[in-house]
Amino acid sequence: MPLVQITGVGDYLTLKQKQEIIRKVTDAVVSVEGEGLRPVTWVTIQDVQPGAWGVGGQPVTADDLRAMAKAGAAA
């Protein structure tokens, strides 16, 4: 039974976006392990409180991620 656990900064993704990630990650797992495992492929998404997640010694918030996503889209 495959189990995929995803952890991210809370308040960044909407419920709809999380559901899309769950579908797409499940599809990716099944593409490797076989369609028969779809019913037992678990994907969980855990949110960490904004600011309680850090990279390089700096706290990261949902607003930081939105700014990074916007900057990446502009590049």
Side-chain angles (χ1 to χ4, degrees), residues 1-7 21-22 25-26 28-30 33 37-46:
M1 163 176 91
L3 169 62
V4 180
Q5 297 175 312
I6 301 168
T7 305
I21 288 173
I22 290 168
V25 168
T26 299
V29 169
V30 168
E33 296 198 8
L37 291 182
R38 184 177 296 276
V40 294
T41 298
W42 294 59
V43 178
T44 65
I45 299 176
Q46 178 182 1

Side-chain angles (χ1 to χ4, degrees), residues 17-33:
Q17 289 172 313
K18 290 175 185 178
Q19 291 170 343
E20 182 178 357
I21 288 173
I22 290 168
R23 281 190 298 276
K24 289 183 176 183
V25 168
T26 299
D27 288 344
V29 169
V30 168
S31 74
V32 174
E33 296 198 8

